[in-house]
Amino acid sequence: MASEFIYFGDPLIWFDGKLMASSDARVHVLTHGLHYGSCVFEGERAYDGVVFKSRIHTERLRKSAEIMDMVLPYPVDALEAAKAEILKRNGGGNKYVRAFVWRGGEKMMAVAAQQNPIHVAIATWTWPSMFDPAERMRGIRLDIADFRRPDPACAPVHAKAAGLYMICTLSKHKAEKKGYNDALMFDWQGRVAECTGANIFFVQDGKLHTPIADCFLSGITRATVIDLARKRGIEVVERRIMPDELGKFSECFITGSAAEVTPVREIGPHHFQPGRICETLLGDYMAGTRPQKS
Ligand code: PMP
C-alpha cells in the first residue's frame, strides 16, 4: 500500500487540542463514531476570515453532543479560540469550517462504550458558493426523496448527528443520478420538511412560508433569514406544509450555512420563478455574513 496519502482540506487540522498536519490527524479503524454513528458536527462558513455566527454554531455542537450523551471535553470559549486559530493558520479568507465530536474506541467496542474518550477536531476547506450570483438566481432543481425525516420518537432529530445523514446521502445520491441538484424530504407524517442539508422556504402572496422545525434541524441560517425577512416587513408563517400545496407557491429557496440562500426553480413536477423575495433575502444574507467593520 502506498505510504503517501492525499488528504482533503486545508494543510492543518486542530485535533484534541493540538494543531497538526492534516495527514497526521488520523483515527484508529476501531472507533465508536465510525461503527455506531456516535458523532456530531457543525458546518460553518467563514467570510473574510471570520466565522458567521461562530458561537451559535459551537453552542449547537455542545448541545448536539449532549443529546448524544457525549460531554464536550473543551469549553465553548476554548473551541471558539481553536476555531479562530485554525482558520487563521490555514490562511483565513472565505472557508468552510467543520467542527466535529466523536466517541473513540480506545477501551471497548460495543454498543455501550461509556468509558471511551470523546474527541474533537476542527478542519477547514475551500467550498465556494454553490453558484455565482447571476447563475444562482436561475435556481436549483430538487427531486422528492423516498426517505422521510424520522419521527422524534425514533431518533435524536434535534442533534446535528452524523447518523441522521445516512438517509440524506442516499437521497442526494439518488437525486444527482436523476440530474437534480438535491432532494426535498418529507417528515415522518408526510409533510414538507427540509432538504438533505438545508431548510426550505416558499413564497405565497408576498408572505414567506416555512415548515415548523420540530422534527428536523432548525437551522441557524433559517433563523437568520426569518429575522431578515421580518426586518424587511415580509410576514413569515411557520406552519405545516403539505405536498399538495407545492404547486401553489410562486418562489422557493433553501437555506443553510453551506447553501446560504439558494433559489429553487423546480421540485419534481412543480416549477417556481425565483423573484424579488429570493433576490432580496439572498442579498441581505450575503451582506450580513461579511464581518462588520467598526
Ligand atoms: N438541515 C440539515 C439536515 C442540515 O444539514 C443543515 C445544514 N447544517 C441545515 C438544515 C441548515 O442548518 P444551518 O442553517 O444551521 O447550517
Side-chain angles (χ1 to χ4, degrees):
M1 195 161 78
S3 58
E4 287 287 312
F5 293 90
I6 299 196
Y7 287 88
F8 176 76
D10 283 340
L12 296 173
I13 286 183
W14 186 95
F15 187 178
D16 284 345
K18 296 191 190 75
L19 270 180
M20 60 180 74
S22 160
S23 53
D24 293 333
R26 303 179 187 201
V27 293
H28 198 279
V29 289
L30 297 179
T31 293
H32 199 271
L34 182 62
H35 291 244
Y36 298 104
S38 50
C39 173
V40 296
F41 68 100
E42 273 306 312
E44 321 177 26
R45 269 193 196 273
Y47 297 87
D48 297 340
V50 179
V51 176
F52 183 58
K53 305 220 162 166
S54 183
R55 179 168 284 268
I56 298 176
H57 279 283
T58 306
E59 292 284 4
R60 183 169 72 182
L61 184 70
R62 191 194 55 71
K63 184 74 195 161
S64 294
E66 185 184 296
I67 293 171
M68 296 288 286
D69 197 27
M70 298 190 285
V71 177
L72 211 57
Y74 303 92
V76 165
D77 281 342
L79 292 178
E80 281 297 286
K83 214 192 292 181
E85 188 184 4
I86 186 75
L87 192 55
K88 193 165 154 210
R89 294 284 297 271
N90 277 333
N94 298 328
K95 287 282 170 64
Y96 181 79
V97 180
R98 169 63 53 87
F100 46 115
V101 179
W102 70 98
R103 196 182 296 280
E106 289 84 342
K107 301 215 160 137
M108 59 189 297
M109 184 52 87
V111 170
Q114 307 208 28
Q115 305 310 315
N116 287 354
I118 305 301
H119 299 279
V120 185
I122 307 171
T124 66
W125 62 82
T126 301
W127 187 350
S129 289
M130 286 181 168
F131 299 96
D132 69 43
E135 182 64 12
R136 194 178 223 180
M137 276 309 292
R138 284 191 64 220
I140 58 167
R141 300 175 60 240
L142 303 180
D143 189 17
I144 295 177
D146 296 330
F147 284 110
R148 292 179 173 195
R149 305 304 310 175
D151 178 348
C154 299
V157 296
H158 298 296
K160 194 165 161 57
L164 292 171
Y165 285 82
M166 179 180 66
I167 53 174
C168 299
T169 299
L170 290 173
S171 303
K172 187 149 177 164
H173 280 185
K174 192 165 183 184
E176 286 180 347
K177 282 179 192 147
K178 287 157 79 178
Y180 290 99
N181 302 92
D182 195 1
L184 170 66
M185 303 182 82
F186 298 152
D187 72 13
W188 58 289
Q189 291 184 294
R191 306 171 299 203
V192 171
E194 60 169 351
C195 289
T196 64
N199 294 120
I200 194 156
F201 285 83
F202 301 94
V203 177
Q204 189 173 30
D205 301 327
K207 293 181 193 165
L208 269 190
H209 296 252
T210 193
I212 297 168
D214 60 356
C215 63
F216 56 84
L217 198 71
S218 181
I220 293 167
T221 320
R222 177 183 182 276
T224 306
V225 165
I226 289 175
D227 278 354
L228 291 170
R230 289 187 174 140
K231 280 196 188 114
R232 285 271 182 186
I234 300 167
E235 193 178 325
V236 183
V237 188
E238 291 181 73
R239 64 173 179 89
R240 304 298 180 196
I241 298 176
M242 300 310 293
D244 64 6
E245 294 181 63
L246 288 174
K248 297 181 186 150
F249 299 118
S250 52
E251 296 182 49
C252 173
F253 60 88
I254 63 170
T255 63
S257 301
E260 298 169 323
V261 173
T262 297
V264 173
R265 73 170 187 272
E266 242 177 272
I267 303 179
H270 307 289
H271 292 260
F272 309 92
Q273 181 62 54
R276 187 183 58 82
I277 294 192
C278 278
E279 198 162 20
T280 303
L281 293 173
L282 169 58
D284 287 356
Y285 183 75
M286 295 317 291
T289 53
R290 298 285 155 190
Q292 306 300 315
K293 305 267 184 301
S294 50

